[in-house]
Amino acid sequence: MGMILVLAFWAVAILLLSLASGLLTLPFSCLLCKRQRKRKMLLCFLTPGTALCTYAAGSFVCMVVIAVILGTDIGIGDSWSAALKNHYELASTDAPENGGICRKDDPCGEVLVSEVTHLQVLGDSVIGKADGSYFIFNLKNGIHTDSLTYQELTRHISPSTIHLVDNSTYYREQRKTAYAIAGILCLLLTALSVWLLWRIGLHGFQKKLQEL
């Protein structure tokens, strides 16, 4: 699914969820609010939508910033990419299970190692599994040795240091910490937006009444 379709889907989903959540708050706000009932009912109706939209917008901005800083994909759509070293990257299309190693600055987008399913970065090299066999890729000069058996791989790399992970895990691990920090920031921003909504909605209205 392309990025535009994903964004459109989430926009519609957030809109419907905001509307449904807002409607659910109305009976409770009607029963619990005695003073300024109509205004508080309106604020209760707007609160879920404000929270969801703020969190979604903040998350999207954070995802773009993280993608630029870490050299990864945005995290939306049907393509995945994660930086390796020296302008090399692991990239996948349609499904993260199968990827390829290529250079970011290559205008032709030549795939140097294809059908990569597992990998591990060791210093200036990448070892991994591709198309049922193992490979070693030098991130300094781009030289790679393919079609290795596990025994042949262990002649170059100590077995105790080999800890291959699948592509999905590698993509996730590259941005896990950044996403956790971004999630906390988005929650704080969401709480602030809801607080401002009620602050302006209640106190701003009271101030206008006093001026009148």
Side-chain angles (χ1 to χ4, degrees):
M1 188 182 295
M3 183 184 299
I4 295 178
L5 289 178
V6 173
L7 290 176
F9 170 80
W10 280 111
V12 173
I14 290 172
L15 178 62
L16 294 177
L17 185 58
S18 299
L19 180 61
S21 301
L23 291 174
L24 286 175
T25 65
L26 293 180
F28 298 99
S29 59
C30 182
L31 292 173
L32 298 176
C33 299
K34 303 301 181 182
R35 301 176 58 186
Q36 302 183 35
R37 177 175 292 174
K38 291 183 178 180
R39 177 162 292 271
K40 289 182 178 179
M41 287 178 64
L42 176 61
L43 291 173
C44 287
F45 175 76
L46 294 175
T47 295
T50 301
L52 288 171
C53 291
T54 302
Y55 190 85
S59 297
F60 181 74
V61 171
C62 288
M63 290 166 72
V64 173
V65 172
I66 290 171
V68 172
I69 294 175
L70 298 183
T72 63
D73 61 283
I74 295 179
I76 300 175
D78 54 3
S79 63
W80 292 262
S81 64
L84 296 171
K85 278 185 179 181
N86 300 328
H87 304 290
Y88 289 101
E89 68 175 355
L90 175 70
S92 303
T93 303
D94 294 331
E97 290 78 15
N98 287 294
I101 295 176
C102 54
R103 283 189 65 90
K104 289 184 178 181
D105 53 2
D106 184 2
C108 298
E110 179 185 2
V111 179
L112 303 174
V113 181
S114 60
E115 300 298 324
V116 177
T117 58
H118 296 75
L119 77 160
Q120 178 185 356
V121 179
L122 290 173
D124 291 317
S125 297
V126 174
I127 62 173
K129 193 173 184 179
D131 199 21
S133 59
Y134 295 87
F135 69 88
I136 301 175
F137 189 96
N138 191 310
L139 294 171
K140 283 186 174 180
N141 52 32
I143 297 175
H144 51 95
T145 305
D146 307 316
S147 303
L148 298 173
T149 64
Y150 184 77
Q151 288 73 21
E152 291 172 332
L153 177 66
T154 56
R155 293 175 188 169
H156 302 275
I157 308 294
S158 173
S160 61
T161 61
I162 298 177
H163 304 287
L164 301 179
V165 297
D166 59 78
N167 295 352
S168 298
T169 301
Y170 185 79
Y171 289 132
R172 184 172 60 253
E173 290 295 323
Q174 293 302 298
R175 65 194 86 188
K176 180 174 65 175
T177 302
Y179 273 16
I181 296 173
I184 294 173
L185 293 177
C186 289
L187 285 175
L188 293 175
L189 180 62
T190 300
L192 177 62
S193 68
V194 172
W195 179 80
L196 286 174
L197 173 68
W198 281 81
R199 176 78 177 180
I200 296 172
L202 291 179
H203 296 278
F205 177 70
Q206 291 176 353
K207 187 176 181 181
K208 286 185 177 180
L209 287 179
Q210 291 174 358
E211 291 176 353
L212 293 175

